[in-house]
Amino acid sequence: MPKEKAMGAYLMVYFKDDTHGLYMALSKDGYSFTDVNQGKPVIAGDTIAEQKGIRDPYIYRGADNMFYMALTDLHIYAQKEGYRNTQWERDGKQYGWGNNRGLVLMKSADLLHWSHQVLRVDKAFPELADIGCAWAPEMIYDEVKKKPMLYFTMRFGSGKEKVYYTYMNQSFDRMETLPMPLFEYPNGVAYIDADITKVGNKFHMFYASHDGASGVKQAVSDSVHTGYVYDPKWYDPEPVGCEAPTVYKLIGKNKWILIYDIYRINPHNFGFSETTDFVNFKNLGRFNDGIMKSTNFSVPKHPAVIQITKKEAQKLANYWKMDMKF
């Protein structure tokens, strides 16, 4: 895998509610992002998902220098779009809002050509047969176990959501271990959308808490999958509901940017905060309110950002006929 000094650009993946497709945007500086396809999907959700729509994309560079994506297999408007005859796949009273059972797993060597398949979480282990949802999957490499760890939001029936983790096989098509809870929020409060960043010897997990309102909190641990300590502080500065936190590091700098999806505003937008110590955060505002720019797209949902090399960025830009030089 390339070291940070070899990196020269940033790639953001996101989705939009109106299409339930996958989008990509490139950045030279980590502050201004340009969609590779003029704000149109690069992959249509109905070509890769059982529910004919995807949400919550996450992208990750593996230890093998391959690119991996994990996405929620869920279309919340599938009835209106004619993909099914009911609001949800199953009874909403029994299984809750958006009840889905699958994740879309993708793999690529070049960010252009992707293999894909649906992982039916409910069929992976008998204990998971009655799950009510499988949302917002993310990945991180466990340096102790030398395996990729997949973690995602899950609930049983219509119960409270929380995040579970599992280890994937080498082919990235099967869970090797029964998903186990990653963190327990006090008093059984629901939480979703975990995102883990390793900084030094600490693991910083940001997540969306539903503790009276939806906002971003942080838990820190010495281990990737256990020991996260509850912190009651809210880390987003927004007065309205936020979810889907994600963190990326600025190349060559001791700075990280925390993004959160401000879903309680119309139109949707992202908010951004910058930190050097994961204690103090500077509010950078929303897209196109200040330093953060989305140059040719709007209403994005649930982002993830990775560092890529200039060569990888230029290959993407050339493929999508962008007028960008890296």
Side-chain angles (χ1 to χ4, degrees):
M1 189 193 317
K3 302 295 184 182
E4 183 176 331
K5 64 182 180 181
M7 300 300 176
Y10 306 82
L11 174 65
M12 174 185 286
V13 295
Y14 65 98
F15 84 99
K16 293 185 180 182
D17 270 337
D18 63 342
T19 66
H20 279 67
L22 175 69
Y23 298 75
M24 291 182 175
L26 286 170
S27 175
K28 296 179 180 180
D29 61 4
Y31 294 109
S32 180
F33 287 84
T34 301
D35 190 275
V36 303
N37 195 26
Q38 296 295 321
K40 299 187 289 290
V42 298
I43 298 177
D46 61 5
T47 65
I48 57 176
E50 276 191 0
Q51 287 206 24
K52 308 302 181 185
I54 60 90
R55 300 175 71 83
D56 317 328
Y58 185 77
I59 189 165
Y60 155 87
R61 188 194 294 266
D64 56 0
N65 204 31
M66 294 287 287
F67 295 98
Y68 296 84
M69 275 197 286
L71 314 91
T72 305
D73 188 328
L74 171 63
H75 200 312
I76 66 171
Y77 305 127
Q79 184 179 22
K80 182 178 72 173
E81 297 295 332
Y83 292 125
R84 59 175 174 256
N85 297 322
T86 56
Q87 182 182 12
W88 308 118
E89 281 192 321
R90 297 170 292 169
D91 179 26
K93 291 183 179 179
Q94 183 176 357
Y95 292 103
W97 186 94
N99 57 79
N100 75 315
R101 295 168 284 186
L103 304 174
V104 178
L105 305 179
M106 304 180 70
K107 188 175 180 179
S108 174
D110 59 5
L111 296 170
L112 303 175
H113 307 93
W114 294 87
S115 63
H116 66 88
Q117 68 176 71
V118 173
L119 171 65
R120 279 288 296 269
V121 176
D122 62 319
K123 295 181 178 180
F125 294 93
E127 296 92 330
L128 306 180
D130 204 40
I131 64 168
C133 74
W135 297 339
E138 295 202 8
M139 293 162 282
I140 189 169
Y141 187 71
D142 186 327
E143 296 172 352
V144 175
K145 292 186 177 292
K146 307 296 183 186
K147 289 184 177 183
M149 187 182 97
L150 179 79
Y151 54 102
F152 58 97
T153 302
M154 189 167 68
R155 68 168 179 256
F156 288 85
S158 59
K160 298 290 187 181
E161 295 90 0
K162 58 184 172 182
V163 176
Y164 292 75
Y165 74 94
T166 182
Y167 288 95
M168 299 298 293
N169 66 341
Q170 188 173 0
S171 299
F172 194 56
D173 58 8
R174 181 172 56 85
M175 295 190 296
E176 292 187 339
T177 61
L178 177 68
M180 300 297 292
L182 185 60
F183 168 68
E184 296 289 349
Y185 197 98
N187 303 317
V189 171
Y191 76 98
I192 64 175
D193 296 352
D195 176 87
I196 300 172
T197 300
K198 186 181 181 186
V199 182
N201 294 320
K202 298 288 186 181
F203 295 89
H204 296 261
M205 180 176 71
F206 289 88
Y207 61 93
S209 165
H210 290 170
D211 195 352
S214 183
V216 177
K217 290 191 175 182
Q218 178 183 197
V220 183
S221 177
D222 295 325
S223 167
V224 68
H225 63 74
T226 188
Y228 286 96
V229 178
Y230 172 72
D231 178 354
K233 178 181 175 181
W234 297 98
Y235 281 85
D236 71 88
E238 294 291 337
V240 295
C242 298
E243 61 185 9
T246 191
V247 174
Y248 64 96
K249 186 179 184 297
L250 293 177
I251 299 167
K253 298 179 180 179
N254 186 45
K255 289 183 179 180
W256 289 259
I257 293 181
L258 168 66
I259 316 177
Y260 23 90
D261 185 332
I262 314 168
Y263 71 95
R264 285 293 188 185
I265 57 174
N266 188 18
H268 296 129
N269 204 344
F270 296 156
F272 303 84
S273 291
E274 191 173 84
T275 186
T276 60
D277 58 9
F278 285 79
V279 176
N280 303 289
F281 287 78
K282 175 185 177 183
N283 182 9
L284 299 181
R286 302 169 179 176
F287 259 153
N288 302 319
D289 286 343
I291 191 173
M292 303 303 303
K293 304 292 184 183
S294 60
T295 65
N296 62 347
F297 64 101
S298 59
V299 296
K301 294 288 296 176
H302 206 117
V305 178
I306 60 169
Q307 300 174 355
I308 59 176
T309 67
K310 288 184 178 181
K311 183 177 180 181
E312 291 164 343
Q314 195 64 61
K315 192 171 183 178
L316 262 174
N318 293 345
Y319 182 85
W320 291 104
K321 298 179 172 59
M322 299 174 69
D323 186 19
M324 288 186 74
K325 299 299 180 184
F326 291 89

